[in-house]
Amino acid sequence: MKAKQMLICLMVLAVSYTGCKKANIDVDTDSANGSAIGEISGVWKRGSVQHITGDIIIPEGQSLTIEEGVTVIMDTEAKPEIIVKGNLYAEGTAAFPIKFTVDESKRTEENKFGRLWGGILAAPSCTELLLNYTIIEYAGATTSDASTSVKQKLYKGKAGENLPALWFANVNGKLVVTNSIFRNLQEDCTYIEGGKIIFANNKFYTTGLTGGEAINFKSGCLADVAYNLVYSTNTNALKLSNSGDRTPQAYIIAYNNTLVNTGWRRPTAKGGSIWVEATVRVSIFNNLFANTRFGIKRDTKGPEDSRSLFGNNLYYGYSQTTANQFQPSTEIIAGTNDVIGKNAGDNDPKFVSYPVNTDVNNATFNTAWDFHLLAGSPALGKGKTDFTRHHAAGLVLNGITYTSPAPSTYIGAYGTN
């Protein structure tokens, strides 16, 4: 009997030890490669491979710096979340980007809309978050009662929610996302609830199984959004809203973005290109809408701030159905000096190598496509440059200044090669 009791005690201790180890293992951030679970901070060294086997937390007041060329492989059984209570600096380069991904065997057509791990969830205590030359793919898992984000009341704080790849929620914080790629995601690529923000020179594609935006802003955001390519989001490319009752009022300046085929895979009133609502204040200039569902659309029950400005946007529809949806109405917003026609084929932007007759429901992105403009494009020379942006002087993160780029005289994210 004593032996049996001893065995039970040993088993209990073993289970207890395993549980502690899973939650609190220390990470040797100076090693070339590693695996992580629990609390982490420090540096993931250049070119290393980090295996994330469970939820990780960057504690409040601490930082994790990820150097160029790091590959972060997320376990597809545990479906980890990255909880940022402190600060996160992912500083890749064009030659050696940082990648948040899954094992190569899981990067399949069957999994093209992700759901294989959670996402990067920045709590209100996160004051600085940087993603530069960073690829985020195969994220967007659904929360459960066991999810760290649910237990800590982060994001929507309940089970059954599809996570965004990136959530940020500090109205006094700073968020910079530049030169990065969001792809193979279940729903929203980003969901932002406050902060001083720059989104510039990014690409969003193959996202949104049943819904979701590329960039989803709520109240508290002062953001510059420029030179981004958004391809075939299920719902909107940009959702610009002042919902949430946070201060300051959301004020988004979106300019020189190229939006292609967005909104068609969610055939409801919400599917489209740029959606404005709930007294958001916006300035929307120099954006190129090619075969998108609608153009700039307002919620007539909660329209935008009266100080909002629109202009110098170009609209192209390969089909008459598409061209008809661009036409101004009480819901579709017209701007000053817009380049818009009434017939199919009007204002062909003359992309270098994108077939404009591609099915609007196509969600597969060809990385060989080139959305630069050929000579003679109606988008050349039609851009507006004399407007103010929030962060022209820059935002300082981790001692480095990141500025929102200046607007261009062309429309769209890319001029000529």
Side-chain angles (χ1 to χ4, degrees):
M1 185 68 180
K2 289 183 178 179
K4 185 176 180 180
Q5 289 176 331
M6 180 65 72
L7 178 60
I8 292 172
C9 289
L10 288 172
M11 290 173 66
V12 171
L13 286 170
V15 171
S16 300
Y17 174 75
T18 301
C20 289
K21 183 177 181 182
K22 184 175 182 180
N24 300 297
I25 190 168
D26 292 327
V27 178
D28 181 1
T29 55
D30 291 325
S31 62
N33 300 294
S35 62
I37 191 171
E39 292 190 348
I40 61 167
S41 61
V43 178
W44 282 345
K45 293 294 187 179
R46 180 184 188 272
S48 65
V49 178
Q50 306 294 332
H51 294 267
I52 309 305
T53 56
D55 293 351
I56 60 174
I57 300 173
I58 303 170
E60 188 172 352
Q62 299 185 44
S63 298
L64 175 65
T65 299
I66 306 176
E67 296 183 339
E68 61 180 320
V70 171
T71 300
V72 185
I73 299 178
M74 312 299 287
D75 183 271
T76 57
E77 294 298 322
K79 293 181 170 32
E81 299 171 350
I82 298 175
I83 308 296
V84 186
K85 292 188 170 182
N87 298 326
L88 173 63
Y89 306 107
E91 182 68 89
T93 62
F96 301 103
I98 293 162
K99 181 181 283 190
F100 292 86
T101 186
V102 294
D103 186 85
E104 187 174 3
S105 65
K106 300 295 184 179
R107 301 173 212 161
T108 63
E109 177 67 17
E110 180 184 3
N111 293 326
K112 72 178 180 180
F113 290 116
R115 298 177 289 174
L116 299 182
W117 62 282
I120 299 172
L121 308 175
S125 58
C126 172
T127 58
E128 295 184 357
L129 196 153
L130 169 71
L131 300 176
N132 186 33
Y133 289 107
T134 298
I135 299 168
I136 300 180
E137 59 185 12
Y138 297 100
T142 305
T143 58
S144 70
D145 289 331
S147 300
T148 298
S149 60
V150 172
K151 292 176 181 178
Q152 299 189 4
K153 301 299 181 184
L154 303 177
Y155 184 49
K156 297 186 179 181
K158 59 183 179 180
E161 293 292 331
N162 300 325
L163 290 172
L166 172 65
W167 175 65
F168 188 86
N170 184 349
V171 295
N172 298 309
K174 291 178 283 188
L175 171 66
V176 172
V177 181
T178 49
N179 306 303
S180 294
I181 297 173
F182 292 77
R183 64 190 180 198
N184 303 108
L185 306 171
Q186 178 176 217
E187 199 161 305
D188 282 349
C189 299
T190 66
Y191 193 100
I192 313 301
E193 297 185 273
K196 297 178 176 66
I197 302 150
I198 298 173
F199 272 88
N201 301 299
N202 304 298
K203 294 180 180 178
F204 303 82
Y205 57 85
T206 314
T207 67
L209 180 61
T210 58
E213 276 81 22
I215 304 176
N216 191 339
F217 287 118
K218 305 302 182 186
S219 60
C221 294
L222 298 176
D224 291 336
V225 181
Y227 299 95
N228 300 288
L229 171 67
V230 183
Y231 183 82
S232 191
T233 45
N234 189 297
T235 314
N236 299 290
L238 308 180
K239 183 174 182 179
L240 313 180
S241 176
N242 189 48
S243 64
D245 299 320
R246 286 172 293 270
T247 301
Q249 174 190 25
Y251 183 7
I252 316 301
I253 302 174
Y255 59 98
N256 283 104
N257 299 289
T258 294
L259 315 178
V260 182
N261 282 21
T262 58
W264 290 97
R265 291 185 293 114
R266 185 174 182 177
T268 68
K270 289 187 176 181
S273 301
I274 297 180
W275 174 268
V276 296
E277 67 172 17
T279 70
V280 66
R281 183 180 177 183
V282 298
S283 293
I284 301 178
F285 297 111
N286 303 351
N287 299 288
L288 196 161
F289 300 85
N291 292 329
T292 61
R293 187 165 184 258
F294 308 123
I296 305 169
K297 191 175 184 181
R298 67 162 56 95
D299 180 357
T300 54
K301 295 179 181 179
E304 71 282 1
D305 186 289
S306 61
R307 294 170 293 176
S308 296
L309 301 171
F310 307 87
N312 300 75
N313 300 295
L314 182 145
Y315 299 85
Y316 167 78
Y318 178 77
S319 71
Q320 191 61 49
T321 298
T322 304
N324 289 343
Q325 292 184 88
F326 293 146
Q327 304 311 312
S329 68
T330 56
E331 291 184 302
I332 306 303
I333 300 172
T336 305
N337 298 320
D338 280 350
V339 180
I340 184 171
K342 293 186 176 181
N343 302 310
D346 287 350
N347 309 315
D348 185 340
K350 296 187 177 181
F351 293 127
V352 168
S353 65
Y354 173 73
V356 291
N357 63 343
T358 300
D359 190 321
V360 292
N361 289 297
N362 173 60
T364 302
F365 187 81
N366 185 340
T367 56
W369 287 335
D370 188 341
F371 291 91
H372 283 85
L373 308 175
L374 294 170
S377 168
L380 295 173
K382 302 294 177 60
K384 178 180 175 66
T385 60
D386 59 344
F387 58 89
T388 301
R389 55 199 194 277
H390 291 300
H391 310 304
L395 296 174
V396 179
L397 282 76
N398 203 25
I400 300 173
T401 301
Y402 299 86
T403 60
S404 55
S408 292
T409 57
Y410 56 79
I411 295 174
Y414 310 99
T416 56
N417 277 319

